[in-house]
Amino acid sequence: MQTEKRDIRALTKEQLRDFFAANGDKAFRGDQVYEWLWSKGAHSFDDMTNVAKSTRQMLEDNFAINHISVDQMQRSSDGTVKNAVRLHDGLVVESVLIPTETRTTACVSSQVGCSLDCNFCATARLKRMRNLNPDEIYDQVVAIDNESRRTHNRPLSNIVFMGMGEPLMNYNNVIKAIDKITSPEGLGMSPKRITLSTSGIPKMIKKLADDGVKFKLAVSLHSAIDEVRSSIMPFSENFPLKELREALQYWYSKTKSRITYEYVVWKGINDRKEDIDALVKFCRYVPCKVNLIEYNPIDDGEFQQADPEVIDAYIRALERNDIVAKVRRSRGKDIDAACGQLANKESDA
C-alpha cells in the first residue's frame, strides 16, 4: 500500500533546508523551493523552473502540494463573487470576494463546517468535518487576490475571517496562516487589514492578546442579554457575557485595539427597547464600534429581518451615547447563500 505523500507546505523553511542537505544537495535549495511554494504560488513542482529537473523529481517522489481548486464561482450583480473551494481530500468550503469602489475584501473560511451551533447560521447546520490547514486558508486568499487583480485591476486590500467555521477553534492554523499572509515571504499584507471574527470564546481572546497579534478583532454579539444570546447561540451558555466582557477588556488593555461588534437584529428576538439598552451598556465597557448587519434569511423560520424602524432606534441610541454604528447591507443576495451570513460582511470590520 502506497503511503500518502506529505504536503510540502507543512514544512518550515529550515526543515526544507535540512531536507536538501540530508539528500546531498545545497541547503539554499530549500530557500528557492520555499519561495516557489509561497510568494510565487507554485501549484506543481514542474512550475519551479530554476530548480533542476532531477531535484524536482526528488520533490515529486517525496512530497505533494495540496493546493485548493475553485470548483464553482458564482457572480452577483453587485460584484460579489462566491467561490466553492475544493480541498485536496474532496471536502468543500466557501470564500467570498466583496468589492466596493475603494477596496476588495476576501472573506475566508477556517473550518469545514463549524464547531458551534448558532441557530441562525446555515454553516452551523453542517457538522465540523475538520480544521483547515494554514496553506488551505492561505490559498483562499491567493485565489481571491488573483480574481481581484483579474476583474478589478487591483490587489486584495482586506481580509475577514468571517466564512465557515469558528477561527478561534482552529487557533494555531489560523495564526500560522495569518503569519504567512503578512510575511514578506508570503503575501506581505499588513495585519491591520485583517479582521478575525469570533463568536466569543473568552480564554482564546485572552490568548490572542497574550500572543501580541496585530490584526483586528470582531465579535458576533447579537445580544447583550445572556438569556437572549444563548437562545440565538446555544454554545454561549458556557461563555457568559461577564466572561466575554472581561476577556475583551483584557484584549484592549494589551492591544489598545478597539473591538467591532457584529449585531444582527431579528424580529421578535432582540428588537425590544431592553435589547437596545443592554447593547449600549455593553458597549461602554471597551472602546468599540457596532456593525448592525442586515440578515439574509436561510429559510422561513424564526429568524427574520427586523423592521427598519427598529434598526433606526438602535442607531439613534448608539450615536446618542457616542458609539460609532453602521448598518451593513447584505451583499450577493442574488447568488446562493449556502454559507449563511458569509456574504453579509463588509470590508472595514
Side-chain angles (χ1 to χ4, degrees), residues 34-42 138 184-187:
Y34 191 86
E35 182 182 13
W36 275 109
L37 293 171
W38 296 104
S39 59
K40 292 183 177 179
Y138 182 90
E185 296 177 319
L187 298 180

Side-chain angles (χ1 to χ4, degrees), residues 75-81 97 99-100 152 330-335:
R75 296 182 184 276
S76 168
S77 58
D78 65 15
T80 301
V81 177
L97 179 154
T100 66
H152 299 284
S330 183
R331 300 293 301 272
K333 287 184 177 181
D334 55 339
I335 55 179

Side-chain angles (χ1 to χ4, degrees), residues 307-346:
D307 296 331
E309 52 266 31
V310 176
I311 306 296
D312 292 341
Y314 264 97
I315 291 286
R316 285 195 304 272
L318 291 164
E319 290 181 343
R320 196 163 54 240
N321 286 274
D322 298 320
I323 300 160
V324 175
K326 293 182 180 180
V327 178
R328 293 286 175 234
R329 302 298 177 191
S330 183
R331 300 293 301 272
K333 287 184 177 181
D334 55 339
I335 55 179
D336 176 33
C339 209
Q341 294 303 293
L342 188 65
N344 281 2
K345 318 299 187 183
E346 280 229 24

Side-chain angles (χ1 to χ4, degrees), residues 242-259:
K242 180 176 182 292
E243 290 183 22
L244 177 59
R245 183 191 79 209
E246 290 170 352
L248 295 174
Q249 289 172 322
Y250 184 81
W251 159 273
Y252 187 77
S253 72
K254 287 273 194 173
T255 68
K256 297 297 182 271
S257 175
R258 71 175 176 170
I259 311 292

